[in-house]
Amino acid sequence: MVLLRSVGLLALAGAASAFVPASLSTLAAGKSMPSQMSCRRAGPNVLRTSMAISEDKKTTFAPLPVPGMGPGKPKEVEVEQEIVAPKLESAVGIDYIPLLTALQLQEFDVADQLTRDLLLEIGGEQIKKQGFVYFAQVKLLPVKDMLTIDNLWVAYSRGKFGYSVQKKIWNGKKVVGDFNKFVQEIVWTKSPCGGCEGRPICSGCTGTLKRWTPLGNSGNEYSYDLKTAPKGHLPLTSALRGTYLIENLLKHPAFGDEKLETKFAVKAGFADNEKRYSMEELRFPPSPYSETKAIWDV
């Protein structure tokens, strides 16, 4: 009985090591020999099998790993924390289940479009009727609803997407309120010549905004993959007609009291030699991307 158990242990050791002693074939053939088998634990994580050939000579087999343990300390396995669903609160009776579902399923392109639709919904009848949010109307968007939208984005992107994330980037040391640096940092732009792909856009070149197409259409150049999209990439906000909309969204009180850094600002008064802006220019401040935008950008 002892020999049968020993053969089993030796066969297991042989599978784990290229070295098989000649004495193993002797045992397998049923020949008797003055030997005894022993199993002993050598160290906390390794099981060693040894066979005493004689009283003064031993052959030691390769160590067998204990299941679930390696040599040394046990490997630490990162356990992804469960996402706690934010409260779906609304000051105007909005149903946030569609946005919640899209984000849970990581369908970020759908969630992006739903977010734009929701800004119209929570803005009231006038905003819904005109079909867009004018930058001066951003302050009318309820704090409770803007918080719900942002909390959902932050939670289900694990801190990668959301308006509050974009605000931190905008105010960060790399951007410091510079819109050109902001859109490059979150990769909303590409170089017009195509020579800067994978590298920062050349100094002094604003680049062009990437191509956006509606859901269901091909050619969209933005990223909706949680692993590959840069931090702050979503949700998208149009900046083709100027920077006021994105600035006012990031200044919304739902995203904290921290002042939004601004590198450029429209002055309240003008000196005699300063340009006077038309009402159209004030309504839609010129974007650095207007002159270089592609033909499909509207």
Side-chain angles (χ1 to χ4, degrees):
M1 182 65 72
V2 173
L3 286 177
L4 288 176
R5 291 177 181 172
S6 301
V7 172
L9 288 169
L10 287 171
L12 183 60
S17 172
F19 170 71
V20 179
S23 56
L24 181 58
S25 60
T26 304
L27 283 172
K31 298 179 181 180
S32 62
M33 59 184 298
S35 64
Q36 79 178 49
M37 303 293 297
S38 64
C39 289
R40 60 188 179 85
R41 187 172 296 278
N45 302 332
V46 177
L47 188 66
R48 291 186 182 274
T49 304
S50 64
M51 180 178 69
I53 302 299
S54 62
E55 292 183 359
D56 59 348
K57 183 178 181 181
K58 288 185 179 181
T59 301
T60 303
F61 292 91
L64 297 178
V66 176
M69 303 179 73
K73 295 182 179 179
K75 184 178 180 180
E76 295 183 2
V77 179
E78 292 185 7
V79 179
E80 204 170 60
Q81 292 185 347
E82 183 180 354
I83 296 175
V84 179
K87 294 181 179 180
L88 305 182
E89 298 180 319
S90 174
V92 289
I94 297 296
D95 178 13
Y96 284 103
I97 293 299
L99 178 61
L100 169 66
T101 304
L103 289 169
Q104 285 178 328
L105 297 175
Q106 294 196 3
E107 295 181 355
F108 292 109
D109 54 345
V110 176
D112 183 54
Q113 183 58 55
L114 287 173
T115 299
R116 283 189 292 275
D117 296 341
L118 282 167
L119 294 183
L120 301 181
E121 287 293 323
I122 67 178
E125 291 301 321
Q126 177 60 38
I127 291 177
K128 281 195 291 184
K129 185 177 179 180
Q130 67 192 26
F132 64 91
V133 179
Y134 179 50
F135 75 85
Q137 296 172 318
V138 171
K139 60 186 178 183
L140 302 178
L141 304 178
V143 172
K144 187 175 289 187
D145 290 79
M146 293 296 281
L147 267 175
T148 297
I149 293 171
D150 188 59
N151 288 341
L152 285 168
W153 272 100
V154 173
Y156 290 100
S157 68
R158 297 191 178 275
K160 196 170 189 179
F161 302 144
Y163 292 119
S164 59
V165 176
Q166 292 174 346
K167 181 176 182 178
K168 289 178 182 178
I169 294 172
W170 181 285
N171 280 346
K173 292 181 179 179
K174 289 185 178 180
V175 175
V176 198
D178 188 323
F179 176 76
N180 296 336
K181 293 180 180 178
F182 172 72
V183 291
Q184 290 181 33
E185 183 68 21
I186 61 176
V187 194
W188 282 2
T189 55
K190 60 182 180 179
S191 65
C193 63
C196 299
E197 293 302 321
R199 306 192 306 274
I201 295 175
C202 304
S203 177
C205 173
T206 60
T208 57
L209 289 173
K210 290 185 173 183
R211 182 186 184 189
W212 176 87
T213 58
L215 278 173
N217 293 269
S218 60
N220 196 324
E221 295 179 336
Y222 292 90
S223 177
Y224 300 95
D225 184 271
L226 184 59
K227 291 182 179 179
T228 59
K231 190 169 186 177
H233 193 67
L234 299 173
L236 301 177
T237 299
S238 176
L240 281 172
R241 290 187 169 183
T243 65
Y244 280 4
L245 180 57
I246 183 66
E247 287 185 26
N248 279 271
L249 280 170
L250 300 185
K251 283 195 296 188
H252 196 282
F255 312 132
D257 298 328
E258 183 184 3
K259 181 182 177 182
L260 192 73
E261 296 286 346
T262 51
K263 188 171 182 180
F264 306 105
V266 176
K267 298 180 180 179
F270 299 94
D272 290 339
N273 61 344
E274 286 185 317
K275 176 183 175 181
R276 266 63 171 176
Y277 290 90
S278 67
M279 288 304 296
E280 186 66 21
E281 288 174 317
L282 286 173
R283 180 172 297 165
F284 299 114
S287 166
Y289 306 99
S290 298
E291 296 178 2
T292 55
K293 70 179 182 178
I295 57 174
W296 54 72
D297 291 328
V298 295

